[in-house]
Amino acid sequence: METNTLLIENSRMNFNKNMKYEPGGSLGIAGLSSFTVSENSKRVVYVTRPDIPSEAINLLKTECDVHMWTEVRTIPREELLKNVVGKDALYCLLTEKIDAELLEAAGPKLKVVGTLSAGYDHIDLKECKKRNILVGYTPDVLTDAVAELTIALLLATSRRLFEASAEVTNGGWLNKGWSPLYMCGSSLTGSTVGIFGMGKIGQATVERVKAFKPKQILYNSRSKKEVEASFVDFDELLCKSDFLILCSSLNHETKEVFDERAFKLMKSNAIFINTSRGGIVNHDALYKALVEKEIQAAGLDVMTPEPLPIDHPLTKLSNCVLIPHIGSATVETRTTMAILTSQNILSALNGSSMPASVF
C-alpha cells in the first residue's frame, strides 16, 4: 500500500494545475470530446473510457493531448476504429480488441498501446511487434487485491452467503426458522485446496488460504515454485481438491482446459472458483457439471462473454455465484493501475523503458 500511495502522490505533484478542459468533437464524431492541454503538443493519446481515475488522465495531460470517448460504457468497435486514426498512443482496457484491423486503422503514427490490465490476451502481440508498437500493461499491482477477492468469493460461494442473504429478504428464513442443516456450506478448515496457476496471484492466494488451516494445499502450474504447497499433475489436482481456485493466465495451453472431462474428474462436493480469465473454462461444460451435481458450486468473477447476458443459463443456478469482474476493484489498486498505464505510455513516447512492458 505504501508504494501505491507514493505513486499516486508523486503523480499528483507532477500534474500542472493550470491545465484546462476544452470541449469539442473528437474527429467530428458525436458523443466524443477532446481534452487538450497543450496547443503545441504533437503527440495525441486516445483513451477509450472517460471514467479512468483522474490522477492518470492528469498525468497524461502534462505531456500529451488527450482525446477521449465520453460515454461511460464500452466504446463501440466502429467508433474506436474511427477515433484511433492518427493517434500516437492508445490507452485501452480489456474490453477493446486490439487486432490487425485496429492497428491498420490507427496508421503508422501509433507507437504504443497501454492497457489498464494485468492480462493482455485482448491484444494481438504479433501484429504489434510487426508494426514496432510497444505494449504496456499493469502486472503485479493488482496481486493483493485479486487474492483478497478470491478468498472473499470462495467464502461467499462455499458458505452460500448470497443465497443466505436472499433467504432473509425473500422471507425464506422467516418461514423456515432454524434447523441443524439450514443453509450449511463447506469449510476450508481441514480441506484440500487446489490452485491452478502459481504466479504472483497464486502465491498470494496460498498465503491467505493458510490462515484457514486446510489439511493440504496442492497446485499445478508450468513449473514448480517455492511455496508452501505441493506440486501435482493436472488430473491429481482435479481429483483431490475440495476447493479448486483458478489463478492462471489465458494462453493456448489453458484455453478451455476446464472442460467436460475436467469437471467429471472433480469431486462431487468440490467448490470451483475462477478469478483469472473466463476463457480458461468451457462454460457449457461448467453449467452441465453444476446442474448434474458433478461439482457442488462455482463462484465466478470472470466469464465468457463479459458482461454475461442476464439470460445466460449460469444466472439461473442457485449454486453459481456471479460477480462482475471486480478482482482488482479497490480504489487504491485501480488508481495505481491507471497511473502505471499512463507512465507506460509516456515512457514509450519519450523513448524510455516502460515500467511494465509486455515485450
Side-chain angles (χ1 to χ4, degrees), residues 268-324:
S268 60
N269 69 325
I271 306 291
F272 181 77
I273 302 296
N274 188 9
T275 55
S276 54
R277 284 290 179 267
I280 299 174
V281 181
N282 181 308
H283 286 74
D284 291 337
L286 173 59
Y287 175 78
K288 180 174 180 290
L290 289 168
V291 169
E292 297 183 2
K293 308 298 183 185
E294 291 174 349
I295 63 173
Q296 181 178 336
L300 309 178
D301 181 47
V302 290
M303 293 139 251
T304 301
E306 288 184 3
L308 196 69
I310 59 174
D311 60 349
H312 192 283
L314 287 173
T315 66
K316 314 303 179 185
L317 301 179
S318 61
N319 60 342
C320 187
V321 174
L322 304 171
I323 56 176

Side-chain angles (χ1 to χ4, degrees), residues 60-76:
L60 285 177
K61 289 178 183 179
T62 61
E63 298 185 33
C64 299
D65 290 346
V66 179
H67 294 189
M68 185 181 294
W69 171 249
T70 59
E71 297 183 25
V72 185
R73 63 186 179 100
T74 300
I75 183 171

Side-chain angles (χ1 to χ4, degrees), residues 42-54:
K42 295 181 181 179
R43 296 173 300 183
V44 182
V45 180
Y46 192 76
V47 182
T48 63
R49 284 192 72 97
D51 49 354
I52 303 297
S54 60

Side-chain angles (χ1 to χ4, degrees), residues 197-199 203 219-227 231-232 253:
M198 194 51 71
Q203 292 172 45
Y219 77 97
N220 176 260
S221 65
R222 287 184 176 180
S223 59
K224 295 183 178 180
K225 308 287 185 178
E226 292 186 11
V227 291
F231 181 88
V232 295
E253 293 177 359

Side-chain angles (χ1 to χ4, degrees), residues 78-221:
E78 61 273 16
E79 297 293 349
L80 181 56
L81 289 173
K82 291 175 186 177
N83 288 284
V84 75
V85 175
K87 301 301 187 290
D88 297 282
L90 175 63
Y91 189 123
C92 69
L93 289 80
L94 283 169
T95 47
E96 286 79 60
K97 185 177 182 181
I98 313 303
D99 57 7
E101 180 188 33
L102 185 136
L103 298 175
E104 189 66 29
K109 286 189 68 178
L110 189 67
K111 297 295 186 294
V112 57
V113 173
T115 180
L116 199 162
S117 61
Y120 44 82
D121 45 275
H122 57 301
I123 301 174
D124 190 328
L125 298 182
K126 182 178 179 181
E127 287 294 331
C128 287
K129 286 181 179 179
K130 188 169 80 172
R131 292 171 167 80
N132 294 315
I133 296 170
L134 297 173
V135 179
Y137 69 134
T138 60
D140 305 340
V141 174
L142 47 66
T143 297
D144 288 331
V146 175
E148 289 173 3
L149 187 280
T150 298
I151 298 302
L153 180 57
L154 188 156
L155 293 173
T157 305
S158 64
R159 296 299 301 270
R160 304 168 65 184
L161 298 187
F162 286 83
E163 191 179 350
S165 177
E167 282 287 285
V168 176
T169 58
N170 67 18
W173 186 30
L174 184 64
N175 294 328
K176 298 170 187 174
W178 186 92
S179 65
L181 295 178
Y182 178 57
M183 295 306 307
C184 284
S186 301
S187 175
L188 274 166
T189 304
S191 69
T192 295
V193 177
I195 299 177
F196 180 69
M198 194 51 71
K200 292 190 176 181
I201 292 175
Q203 292 172 45
T205 300
V206 168
E207 291 304 308
R208 287 159 174 80
V209 165
K210 288 191 306 183
F212 294 90
K213 300 180 180 179
K215 180 177 67 177
Q216 59 181 339
I217 303 174
L218 309 177
Y219 77 97
N220 176 260
S221 65

